[in-house]
Amino acid sequence: MTALLEVRGATKSYGAVRALDGASLEVAPAEVVALLGDNGAGKSTLIKAIAGVHRLDGGEIAVDGRPVVLRSPTEARRLGIETLHQDLSLFDNLSARANFHIGREPCRPRWLGRLGLLDERAMTREWTAHLERTRTRMDDPDGEVGVLSGGQRQAVAVLRAVAFASRLVILDEPTAALGLREAGKVLDLVRSLPEQGVAVLLISHNLEHVAQVADRAVVLRQGRVVGQAAPTPDNHERLVSMIVGAHGSMAATVDEGGQ
Amino acid sequence: MSGLRESLTLPAPERGERGLEGRWTRLALRVVEAGPILILLLLAAAMTALSPFFLTGRNLTNLGFQTSIVAVLALGQLLVILTRGIDLSVGAVVALSGVLGGIVAGAPIADGAGGGLAVIAAMGLAGLAVGAANGLILVKGRVMNPFIVTLGTLSIVRGLALVISDAETVTGLPAAVGTLGTGKLGPVPVPAVLVVALAALAWVLLARTQWGRWIYAVGGNPEGARRMGIPVDRVLMSVYVLCGLAAGIAGLLVAGRTNAGSPNAGQLLELDAITAVIIGGASFFGGRGSVANVVAGALIIGVIRNGLNLLDVTPFWQLVAIGSLVIVSLELDVLRGHLERRLKVGRAEASS
Ligand SMILES: Nc1ncnc2c1ncn2[C@@H]1O[C@H](COP(=O)(O)OP(=O)(O)OP(=O)(O)O)[C@@H](O)[C@H]1O
Ligand SMILES: [Mg+2]
């Protein structure tokens, strides 16, 4: 079976910082893959490239076996890839509903293009349908997102990413700001995506969460994939040592010290 | 039934606010948000009480003439400020538009029936061109500092206005320009009608169209907007072009009113425009502001000037009064932030 997403030898530097150093990754259709790694390992950098936010210095990205060049977030989205970024994902000055539709508001009439009038009715329809589909309740959808609590904001961002994806949802630490109960609900939502034929690339520092939803965990360290394993409780320690590099050779340790 | 997932719930604010305190916070927030219109009504009431002339038809007509120029400029400036920008060049554009109008009026193309139209078009285009230049320098030049860019174009445009007019006032503008600046429909000044029309257009753009929503989005979170696939550069470009166009139109009104194009016209009008936007409650940090409040902001400046004139207070005090209001408006913006944070804390506590 062809992989839905394949990244090969991705490299990316920010000035002198080598954030990605030949990272490779595959996601099969309707698979839930966890991307693990310590702070600064390059996880966000990698998914930003897949999301079309920035371009790789080197390496390849293929979707359905075909190499693609993602010049903008719009191109990634056109391929059915939606992303929840770790930061700056919401517009505090807009309502939850406006945040939900942002960038792809239905408009009328068509010939007016971007100057078209917002089609409030179509937006309400999409919004309600999506809330029903994900069994979400939102009591004040027209209030500004800026006054919501961190967890509520996160929920809005998760919903937006999940709602519009047809192939792959990338979630960069979706449960980070959430309490126990809300995190559980987001994980439920993640688990339900493969049933709809949507794959998930999930970044999280919480191995318990990963164990609950992921089919496979890939570990990134210093911009390189250092290993992978099924995120079962048995593999917990192995994954942790891959993440921090404790099982590695002396060379790896020296590398870290030398930075 | 066990297969049914529990639903993800975002609690309503009412539940988050504990009783009275939350309700007061909400009420205070409402008052702050309606601030500019309330201030305008209070000022108008005070002036009415202090001067028997204030509420006369003649004075209101005057007020309409005085306010319209600042109001047009403020509408353009609002678009720019919504995107975290600023346009300091608009006063200079007023001058350029005026002298260009005079020069085109003297040229052969302005002969014949469509002459007035050609002049008006040239004046509008002058503004459009400067706006496009501002936008291009910002977006393509990657100089992400609109304050400095438009400070530069302010000087360039003022200089060009002086150069092409030989530093002389240009006269001989067509009658149509005069009508736009000084005409009346019944008791209503033509420029005031123009303001209403432009405000309506700006309102539709900002409140009803996709592009308008994107203007708010770019101001609220530029990087986030980029990530959501919003064409940030084109949005920025468009607001500077529209602001320039508004300045060109303001130039028409100024030239019409003085029946001449002066290269020295419009000095410091950029500050009036920015002041109107800030008094109108728009946030200097972008993403917040409404057309109605900004028109109210322009009217507040007009009422202060007009009222203090009627009361025979020296114009120097007008400066003090308007400056004070700017600071009060900024404080209101801070207060709004504070109230919002209080609501947020209340909700977080209640939902956990
Ligand atoms: N815009 C940037 N400019 C400069 N350096 C950056 C930038 N973004 C990331 N980096 C650097 O690249 C490296 C990888 O960062 P990245 O954000 O991808 O890590 P991460 O695995 O997502 O970490 P975290 O778990 O903390 O989110 C880090 O050393 C970081 O400092
Ligand atoms: Mg990260």
Side-chain angles (χ1 to χ4, degrees), chain A residues 110-131:
Chain A
R110 274 281 167 74
W111 55 269
L112 270 175
R114 264 68 205 261
L115 285 174
L117 301 183
L118 296 170
D119 188 344
E120 295 289 346
R121 238 195 269 163
M123 288 201 280
T124 309
R125 224 181 306 122
E126 265 181 34
W127 166 257
T128 335
H130 180 67
L131 289 195

Side-chain angles (χ1 to χ4, degrees), chain A residues 16-92:
Chain A
V17 180
R18 203 159 172 78
L20 290 178
D21 190 13
S24 299
L25 177 78
E26 267 184 36
V27 180
E31 185 186 22
V32 179
V33 176
L35 186 56
L36 306 179
D38 221 343
N39 292 121
K43 305 180 296 293
S44 296
T45 306
L46 181 59
I47 62 109
K48 277 181 193 160
I50 303 168
V53 169
H54 59 212
R55 294 181 66 176
L56 293 172
D57 297 340
E60 261 195 353
I61 298 175
V63 173
D64 293 327
R66 269 189 304 273
V68 290
V69 182
L70 301 168
R71 261 174 254 107
S72 73
T74 316
E75 293 186 10
R77 203 160 314 135
R78 221 171 275 146
L79 293 169
I81 302 173
E82 290 291 330
T83 309
L84 162 64
H85 291 281
Q86 192 172 8
D87 56 350
L88 297 173
S89 52
L90 291 181
F91 301 85
D92 282 352

